[in-house]
Amino acid sequence: MRRTLFPSRETRPGGGPRRRRAPGPTRFLAVLGAVLTGAVLLTAALFLLLGGAGSPGGATGTPAGSATSGRDVDRVVGQLVSVFENGTPEIQYAYVEDLDDGRGYTAGRAGFCTACGDLLTVVDRYTAQVPDNALAGYVPTLKALAASFSDSTSDLDGFPDAWRSAAADPEFRQVQDEVTDELYVAPARTLADANGVSSPLGLAALVDTAVQHGTQDGPDGLPDLVRRTNADMGGSPADGIDESEWLRGFLDIRRATLENPSSSATSEVWGESVGRVDALDALLDAGNLDLDTPFTVDPWGDPQTIG
């Protein structure tokens, strides 16, 4: 899939995941490289084939027996990740901020960034659909920044206002949903299906890990965490391992990775993010594998209700 096209964030300039300064919880996101055309086409095909679980409006065409069959959990998964990312279940399409973290502007529902290529993907696609938009004039600069992984914002005067203005357009919000689905949700669903992870909570755990750790091959990426879990558990749910026990093992490995990542540059901010894992563990302890709503999560000392 996309793994070889998006190197681990640890190999990028700027080090580890981004940290939101105030107010609300620490903010983290996997850093994605500049998006190549072939990767976009491939992930779009996966999106059409498998459906997307990141869009609040819900996906269609989900295969029977998959993690989202029987009912629509897209909204719930999206809200849960939003709590982990932004401290609120309300999807933050208009969010934009320079976090001084080596990635330029961070913006939108999934923390797309100007130095990483994923924000360019959003703006490029939106401009193809709506040529006369407030962000269109920034495309050449965004391409240059993504190509060099530059965190410079000196040539982006007025960009935050333009992003917030575009976020009022339902078409722009839909583009954000699509790109989130392609970059995070489709790879997570593929791994869920391949490993027999069929519960909504299992899907949510993999999607959130994709958002924070990335979907690339590497010692801290989602695929490697799944492989390590399978090795530790002697298989996956597809091999007959109890899904609850497998998820507990997966979350233990994710917590250990956050506390001791392969790159020392990420250790401080990742160590502060274990509340994400604690919140997922609490749902598992409560037996809420179906993510039955309403439920409350408290990753950052500020309980949020989803439902």
Side-chain angles (χ1 to χ4, degrees):
M1 279 180 55
R2 303 163 33 79
R3 300 174 187 168
T4 60
L5 298 175
F6 296 89
S8 169
R9 79 187 81 182
E10 284 78 22
T11 68
R12 294 266 180 232
R18 58 186 64 90
R19 172 163 39 180
R20 188 169 186 164
R21 291 173 296 183
T26 303
R27 178 182 181 85
F28 303 96
L29 179 70
V31 174
L32 303 172
V35 179
L36 302 179
T37 301
V40 172
L41 292 175
L42 178 57
T43 51
L46 283 171
F47 174 77
L48 292 173
L49 177 64
L50 299 172
S55 306
T60 58
T62 304
S66 76
T68 55
S69 65
R71 71 184 185 93
D72 181 6
V73 300
D74 297 354
R75 177 181 57 85
V76 176
V77 172
Q79 287 184 332
L80 185 58
V81 174
S82 183
V83 169
F84 294 156
E85 286 288 303
N86 286 302
T88 173
E90 182 178 352
I91 305 299
Q92 299 295 293
Y93 296 102
Y95 168 78
V96 56
E97 185 177 4
D98 182 358
L99 299 173
D100 296 323
D101 63 350
R103 292 173 179 85
Y105 282 118
T106 296
R109 62 165 295 170
F112 312 108
C113 63
T114 54
C116 309
D118 48 359
L119 187 146
L120 168 63
T121 302
V122 172
V123 175
D124 226 3
R125 187 175 302 185
Y126 178 53
T127 300
Q129 297 177 15
V130 184
D132 185 18
N133 73 78
L135 293 167
Y138 294 99
V139 169
T141 300
L142 293 174
K143 287 182 177 179
L145 293 172
S148 59
F149 312 122
S150 171
D151 67 342
S152 173
T153 60
S154 61
D155 293 326
L156 292 172
D157 289 344
F159 180 83
D161 288 338
W163 183 276
R164 286 187 285 264
S165 174
D169 182 359
E171 199 157 352
F172 184 59
R173 297 195 295 272
Q174 179 62 32
V175 168
Q176 289 195 45
D177 292 340
E178 292 172 357
V179 174
T180 299
D181 286 333
E182 292 170 13
L183 299 186
Y184 309 132
V185 181
R189 180 182 281 109
T190 298
L191 282 170
D193 290 344
N195 290 276
V197 177
S198 60
S199 70
L201 177 57
L203 178 64
L206 295 185
V207 169
D208 184 58
T209 305
V211 169
Q212 183 177 24
H213 294 244
T215 59
Q216 70 286 328
D217 272 332
D220 296 340
L222 173 61
D224 191 66
L225 268 60
V226 170
R227 285 192 292 266
R228 287 159 56 191
T229 304
N230 290 345
D232 191 54
M233 300 295 295
S236 71
D239 303 310
I241 303 297
D242 179 78
E243 182 166 335
S244 293
E245 292 305 310
W246 188 90
L247 285 174
R248 196 171 303 282
F250 175 80
L251 292 173
D252 286 347
I253 286 174
R254 183 180 176 190
R255 179 183 287 103
T257 301
L258 292 174
E259 293 174 342
N260 187 29
S262 62
S263 171
S264 60
T266 67
S267 59
E268 179 183 357
V269 286
W270 273 26
E272 293 173 353
S273 75
V274 294
R276 297 169 89 129
V277 178
D278 293 339
L280 292 166
D281 252 336
L283 291 170
L284 185 59
D285 288 342
N288 193 2
L289 268 73
D290 289 333
L291 294 181
D292 290 327
T293 56
F295 62 84
T296 298
V297 289
D298 185 13
W300 315 119
D302 181 19
Q304 299 291 320
T305 299
I306 294 173

